[in-house]
Amino acid sequence: MSEIILTIDGVDLLALYGENNSKLNLVRKAFPDLTITSRGNNLKIAGAKSDAQTAKATMEMMVRMLKDHKELSSQTVTDMLKGENPYEVRLPAGESNATIVYGRDGAPIKAKTRNQRKLVEAIDQHDIVFALGPAGTGKTYTAVAMAVRALKHKIVKKIILTRPAVEAGENLGFLPGDLKEKIDPYLRPLYDALDDMFPADKLTQMMTSRTIEVAPLAFMRGRTLNDAFVILDEAQNATPQQMKMFLTRLGPTAKCVVTGDLSQIDLPRNIQSGLVQSLDILKNVDGIAQVFLSAEDVVRHRLVKEIIKAYEADDEAWRQHKMAQDARRNNTTRSMPDKTEEASTNE
């Protein structure tokens, strides 16, 4: 038996333990043979030595995460208890996690994960960047923050945000309103990101003066985009022709980020995604970068990461099933006698 007294300093105990000790109870549940009690700033861990040391290390990492990131979610605690090291995904505090831009309320907007930081660095170093990953990984939000920074630093003169208006199970023609009112719902996520970064009156002024422009992808045809930071969002729903059209609009002083989620292609089955095609065609072109984000980069509700993982597992099971079906079909075809040869032999 071992008894460890851990003194906790420098963090809010409510933030560490959770309301009604919800986070501490997660630790207790993971170590049912230990007795873990808290009194003031002291946490007593009693039980088998190896388990007590592991529980102590977990609590120390929880304290460290709270100090470094000013937040500690229940999901992060659960991940730690599963053996995941949050520092393999989350960025450490310090220079490597520098502020991209300040939001409308003065709050700093930063990369929250290592892959988001890779995206920031790729945008700094390349004129065209493809950012791929599932919903909630911050790819669009990070790209918009980088565009706002470039505008504020006068690296570009305008921001252009665009999306393909694909009818994902809905028909544009039956939506109420004029063309702008029909298309705006498809562009709402871009407006939401901008709302976080500019006061409402300032954003309205910049959109009126076309310093910031939000438009469907079809409206890019025939234009040359100079002195602009251009973001193509939801690019998995662009056709090959649209993707080529968009990428060839860029002027010599433009920067471009293309974001997409290859698991959410809403195009008809007989139409290839232009994003899929361009990733293959342009993978070796100097000056173009590809950054991949994963479920580990999700910064939305704690369940979003689990939902993405579940869908990925289901997709993988389906792929394996299809491969097994194809293999059985090929084996059956090879084992069938050739009727022409059989007839010849009989003659």
Side-chain angles (χ1 to χ4, degrees):
M1 291 289 291
S2 175
E3 183 175 291
I4 298 172
I5 304 295
L6 180 62
T7 301
I8 298 169
D9 293 314
V11 297
D12 178 11
L13 293 179
L14 178 61
L16 179 66
Y17 294 151
E19 291 187 14
N20 300 318
N21 286 335
S22 59
K23 298 173 197 173
L24 183 59
N25 288 337
L26 290 173
V27 180
R28 288 171 172 154
K29 185 178 179 180
F31 299 94
D33 297 328
L34 295 178
T35 300
I36 303 176
T37 55
S38 62
R39 177 170 296 177
N41 283 0
N42 291 329
L43 187 72
K44 184 168 77 171
I45 305 172
K49 184 175 181 180
S50 60
D51 282 351
Q53 290 291 344
T54 303
K56 173 178 177 286
T58 300
M59 291 303 306
E60 288 174 336
M61 186 174 287
M62 288 167 61
V63 171
R64 181 183 166 198
M65 282 290 292
L66 193 53
K67 285 181 177 179
D68 287 350
H69 298 285
K70 312 303 180 188
E71 62 179 1
L72 178 69
S73 68
S74 296
Q75 184 61 46
T76 299
V77 176
T78 300
D79 291 343
M80 289 180 187
L81 293 169
K82 289 179 181 177
E84 296 182 17
N85 182 352
Y87 281 91
E88 292 177 356
V89 176
R90 293 277 176 174
L91 281 168
E95 183 61 28
S96 63
N97 194 18
T99 298
I100 301 172
V101 71
Y102 288 93
R104 65 177 180 181
D105 56 358
I109 296 173
K110 303 179 179 182
K112 292 185 177 181
T113 70
R114 291 192 183 277
N115 284 332
Q116 287 182 10
R117 187 60 193 171
K118 287 180 182 177
L119 177 56
V120 171
E121 292 170 352
I123 294 171
D124 276 337
Q125 297 166 12
H126 299 82
D127 286 337
I128 298 178
V129 176
F130 289 87
L132 295 308
T137 51
K139 55 190 184 294
T140 300
Y141 196 86
T142 302
V144 172
M146 291 295 288
V148 171
R149 187 185 74 172
L151 183 65
K152 289 186 173 181
H153 291 182
K154 301 187 185 304
I155 298 170
V156 297
K157 294 180 179 178
K158 57 188 173 184
I159 296 173
I160 298 174
L161 309 175
T162 185
R163 264 186 166 200
V166 171
E167 301 176 19
E170 298 167 351
N171 194 313
L172 276 174
F174 289 97
L175 294 176
D178 59 19
L179 180 61
K180 182 179 185 301
E181 290 170 326
K182 291 176 189 289
I183 290 172
D184 270 359
Y186 291 91
L187 306 175
R188 175 47 51 189
L190 300 174
Y191 289 120
D192 288 344
L194 290 170
D195 284 341
D196 279 357
M197 299 177 202
F198 291 105
D201 56 344
K202 179 69 171 176
L203 180 56
T204 300
Q205 176 189 341
M206 297 181 84
M207 295 189 73
T208 301
S209 66
R210 301 182 70 84
T211 303
I212 296 178
E213 180 182 350
V214 183
L217 179 58
F219 287 21
M220 297 297 107
R221 188 173 300 278
R223 300 179 61 181
T224 299
L225 308 175
N226 273 322
D227 297 321
F229 195 117
V230 191
I231 299 173
L232 171 57
D233 193 36
E234 297 288 345
Q236 75 275 3
N237 290 327
T239 65
Q241 294 80 8
Q242 287 176 325
M243 183 64 72
K244 180 181 178 182
M245 177 273 292
F246 171 76
L247 292 173
T248 55
R249 298 305 94 205
L250 302 178
T253 55
K255 288 186 74 73
C256 170
V257 178
V258 177
T259 71
D261 178 358
L262 298 179
S263 70
Q264 292 190 3
I265 298 174
D266 298 317
L267 292 167
R269 291 182 181 275
N270 61 334
I271 298 179
Q272 182 186 16
S273 167
L275 178 60
V276 173
Q277 183 193 59
S278 62
L279 289 174
D280 182 53
I281 292 175
L282 304 176
K283 61 186 176 184
N284 296 320
V285 176
D286 188 36
I288 298 179
Q290 297 181 7
V291 178
F292 293 87
L293 299 96
S294 70
E296 299 302 325
D297 298 291
V298 168
V299 291
R300 291 181 180 171
H301 189 283
R302 65 180 183 83
L303 289 176
V304 173
K305 175 162 62 171
E306 300 306 317
I307 290 168
I308 291 170
K309 286 182 176 180
Y311 272 95
E312 288 175 347
D314 184 69
D315 288 343
E316 180 59 27
W318 174 248
R319 280 194 293 271
Q320 294 296 333
H321 173 69
K322 288 292 292 180
M323 288 172 61
Q325 274 190 330
D326 292 342
R328 286 195 297 270
R329 189 178 298 112
N330 291 337
N331 289 336
T332 301
T333 302
R334 284 196 295 269
S335 64
M336 291 177 63
D338 189 301
K339 293 184 179 181
T340 303
E341 291 183 7
E342 188 175 302
S344 176
T345 302
N346 290 338
E347 290 175 0

